[in-house]
Amino acid sequence: MSNTGPEILDPAPPRAAERILQAARKLFYSDGIRAVGVEEIVARAGVTKPSLYRGFGSKDELVVAVLKQTEADFWARFELSVEAHPGDARAQIRDFFKGLAGRSTKADHRGCGLSNAMVEYPEPEHGAHQVALSHKRDLRARLRALAAEMGARDADGLGDALLLLIEGAYLSSQIFGAGGPSGVVAKAAEALMDAALG
């Protein structure tokens, strides 16, 4: 008997809750949260409706779980820019905005799932609104801190202006699609930083 090395087993298929989360995230992003029903989610995930309620309790709980995953992915991308330029806040911002320009000009880009959720759920007590608002506040604080690190005369003002550029890129990508003005968001951020540091 020949030794062919360790047997490689097929990875376990994703659990029902993971499939539901993945399906819901894609549907919510492409079609909007309120427009997507539970039946469509379970059909796309290939599970039963009781599986959804066992895993998440309600559609609202599923929405919150999706938004928390969206937020985690955002910060993972943001941290890649930070890690690529240790100790250089301006280069970190530049790198993040270059990535945003690239993502926001793709045909299937529908802006920020968290910003979209705030529009769909304006009620402050709703879990979706709370997750999204908390994220936006954290992003604002992070941008202001980076602006201070780079020595901006008005760090809070620069941080807020950068946040406005991000949100503008998210919205304009939905209005104009590929080839729209969000493609120049990195240049706009550079001009803002030049003005703030000049």
Side-chain angles (χ1 to χ4, degrees):
M1 181 172 155
S2 65
N3 182 2
T4 59
E7 183 181 356
I8 298 174
L9 302 174
D10 289 333
R15 293 183 7 245
E18 292 167 357
R19 294 200 311 271
I20 291 165
L21 195 59
Q22 290 168 4
R25 187 167 180 190
K26 288 176 184 170
L27 288 166
F28 292 164
Y29 188 71
S30 64
D31 300 342
I33 299 169
R34 291 189 188 266
V36 175
V38 168
E39 293 80 6
E40 190 175 358
I41 295 167
V42 296
R44 178 73 64 93
V47 299
T48 62
K49 199 183 286 189
S51 296
L52 185 146
Y53 292 119
R54 270 196 306 275
F56 298 97
S58 68
K59 181 184 172 185
D60 282 346
E61 286 184 26
L62 175 59
V63 169
V64 167
V66 165
L67 293 177
K68 286 182 176 178
Q69 188 180 65
T70 300
E71 179 183 26
D73 289 349
F74 173 91
W75 286 119
R77 277 193 308 274
F78 196 94
E79 289 305 323
L80 285 175
S81 294
V82 170
E83 291 164 10
H85 306 280
D88 188 343
R90 183 169 182 164
Q92 293 166 7
I93 292 289
R94 183 185 302 119
D95 190 76
F96 174 79
F97 273 89
K98 283 182 181 174
L100 176 60
R103 287 188 305 278
S104 66
T105 53
K106 292 184 177 171
D108 62 348
H109 193 262
R110 286 206 65 249
C112 172
L114 293 150
S115 298
N116 297 345
M118 288 201 74
V119 173
E120 289 201 63
Y121 292 94
E123 310 89 357
E125 68 280 357
H126 196 282
H129 185 96
Q130 292 171 7
V131 171
L133 180 59
S134 175
H135 169 74
K136 297 302 179 180
R137 286 178 172 159
D138 290 345
L139 177 57
R140 183 184 188 200
R142 186 73 181 270
L143 292 170
R144 285 175 158 201
L146 286 169
E149 278 182 45
M150 69 178 81
R153 290 187 302 269
D154 177 7
D156 288 352
L158 175 58
D160 286 354
L162 292 169
L163 180 59
L164 287 171
L165 277 182
I166 292 170
E167 294 299 326
Y170 289 150
L171 181 58
S172 69
S173 70
Q174 295 189 64
I175 296 169
F176 297 101
S182 64
V184 299
V185 71
K187 291 178 184 175
E190 198 70 54
L192 276 176
M193 291 188 289
D194 282 344
L197 297 169

